[in-house]
Amino acid sequence: MKIKFWGCRGSIPVPDSRMIKYGGNTSCVEVVMDGNVLIIDAGTGIRKLGEELVKKDITNINLFITHSHWDHIQGFPFFKPIYNEKSKINIMGCAGSDNQIKNILLKQMSYEFFPVRFSDLKSKIIFDDSCKGSMELNGKFKGKTIVTNHPIYTLGIRLEHRKKSFVFLTDNELDSEKPVTKWREFVEFCKGASCLVHDAQFSEAEYEKTKGWGHSTFEQVVRLAKDANVANLGFYHHDPDRKDKELDAIEKKYKGICKKENLKFNIFAVKEQDEINI
């Protein structure tokens, strides 16, 4: 299983010289399993990924949308494969209401917002309802989902392949005062994961002012990784104001905490263009 991060910023893209190392594009992750491509989220990072897929002539694509907030779908109209008549794109997701993922993407590409209509796209696009808690990729590889604690209906995903597992939980408030999903359920969902990538947008001090926004702190995420006994933990969904030097310091701080507490998992702040093989 090869994982590549094409965008790891939360809320809004940041074209800022102080955010070069970790990147400024919003949420987009590519997962490749035996040649099968699964993209998680269509934030602005999907634009560069689309260019790469076109170069490689990859036309069979799976796209999983965690939820419909702008930073997770705003790159979709700039995703080159949707304009290629050879492309077959299977879009999965669950909006948790009548306003399903298909309708949301259609509205995003209405003339009020974008010059090309969804109906003008040349690719073959299939929508697959992922509200049932599980999913399949080309009938071979399976994944399961979990509802996160976020202001709108949002899904996290766990992928299993050859005894390795990747868990992706963005936009999730682990210590929500009114949780949809409780702590023990997240622990079970993440249990023994080869790699857990989790929303860590806020510090504890920042969280005092942002409770209920649907995001977690670094401390909360480390605690989850410990309880779930994961092998690797990546901080994700970086705050748009978080500069490179600050993320360097945060990564160093929590590596030190893990060493001091004899925690066995590796910890890192996700960088755009990072690649992981598990």
Side-chain angles (χ1 to χ4, degrees):
M1 190 186 304
K2 185 181 80 171
I3 302 156
K4 185 169 183 177
F5 299 94
W6 293 88
C8 53
R9 192 66 60 170
S11 303
I12 191 171
V14 282
D16 191 312
S17 61
R18 299 169 297 175
M19 285 83 162
I20 295 296
K21 180 177 179 179
Y22 290 89
N25 280 302
T26 58
S27 185
C28 182
V29 181
E30 177 190 19
V31 183
V32 180
M33 296 175 286
D34 290 348
N36 292 273
V37 175
L38 170 66
I39 302 168
I40 305 174
D41 278 341
T44 57
I46 203 172
R47 183 182 67 85
K48 282 188 177 181
L49 171 54
E51 292 174 354
E52 191 70 18
L53 294 175
V54 169
K55 285 180 185 178
K56 294 178 179 179
D57 197 30
I58 295 174
T59 56
N60 193 7
I61 300 164
N62 298 283
L63 171 60
F64 177 77
I65 304 291
T66 61
H67 66 300
S68 61
H69 277 164
W70 280 352
D71 49 335
H72 297 261
I73 64 170
Q74 62 196 153
F76 182 80
F78 302 92
F79 184 49
K80 282 190 175 180
I82 64 177
Y83 300 97
N84 183 354
E85 61 184 9
K86 295 191 299 181
S87 294
K88 180 182 177 182
I89 303 170
N90 183 37
I91 300 179
M92 299 164 283
C94 179
S97 69
D98 292 336
N99 194 14
Q100 294 299 318
I101 295 296
K102 179 178 181 179
N103 293 330
I104 290 166
L105 294 179
L106 260 66
K107 289 178 181 178
Q108 183 182 220
M109 295 186 71
S110 64
Y111 271 174
E112 292 89 346
F113 307 115
F114 198 73
V116 181
R117 289 181 177 175
F118 192 94
S119 58
D120 294 329
L121 300 181
K122 295 184 178 181
S123 59
K124 182 179 180 182
I125 298 177
I126 300 168
F127 286 90
D128 182 8
D129 183 355
S130 299
C131 296
K132 53 187 177 294
S134 62
M135 54 183 286
E136 287 190 6
L137 306 180
N138 300 332
K140 295 181 180 180
F141 307 108
K142 295 183 178 181
K144 60 180 181 178
T145 60
I146 191 170
V147 181
T148 69
N149 297 322
H150 200 56
I152 68 167
Y153 195 91
T154 303
L155 292 177
I157 186 170
R158 178 174 180 135
L159 297 167
E160 304 274 354
H161 184 50
R162 295 182 178 175
K163 298 182 179 180
K164 300 292 183 179
S165 51
F166 173 56
V167 178
F168 182 77
L169 291 168
T170 188
D171 296 66
N172 183 36
E173 188 169 355
L174 284 166
D175 283 352
S176 172
E177 293 177 351
K178 297 179 180 179
V180 176
T181 301
K182 296 181 180 180
W183 179 272
R184 66 177 181 275
E185 296 174 272
F186 286 120
V187 171
E188 187 61 30
F189 189 80
C190 299
K191 191 173 182 179
S194 306
C195 183
L196 165 63
V197 170
H198 197 290
D199 175 319
Q201 184 160 345
F202 298 126
S203 67
E204 288 295 312
E206 291 164 343
Y207 185 62
E208 288 301 312
K209 299 179 181 179
T210 60
K211 288 181 179 180
W213 288 18
H215 301 285
S216 293
T217 69
F218 307 105
E219 284 86 349
Q220 292 164 11
V221 175
V222 169
R223 183 157 47 97
L224 173 64
K226 178 182 178 181
D227 288 356
N229 193 31
V230 306
N232 297 278
L233 170 64
F235 293 146
Y236 191 78
H237 205 272
H238 307 314
D239 190 273
D241 291 327
R242 194 84 66 206
K243 303 173 187 65
D244 288 337
K245 63 181 181 180
E246 294 170 332
L247 283 166
D248 283 342
I250 287 165
E251 183 182 76
K252 182 178 180 180
K253 173 183 176 180
Y254 287 98
K255 279 182 177 291
I257 289 173
C258 287
K259 184 177 181 180
K260 184 178 180 180
E261 296 183 7
N262 199 30
L263 303 178
K264 302 301 183 183
F265 54 86
N266 175 51
I267 196 166
F268 61 100
V270 175
K271 295 190 293 291
E272 198 170 307
Q273 297 296 308
D274 266 359
E275 292 187 42
I276 301 172
N277 289 289
I278 58 174

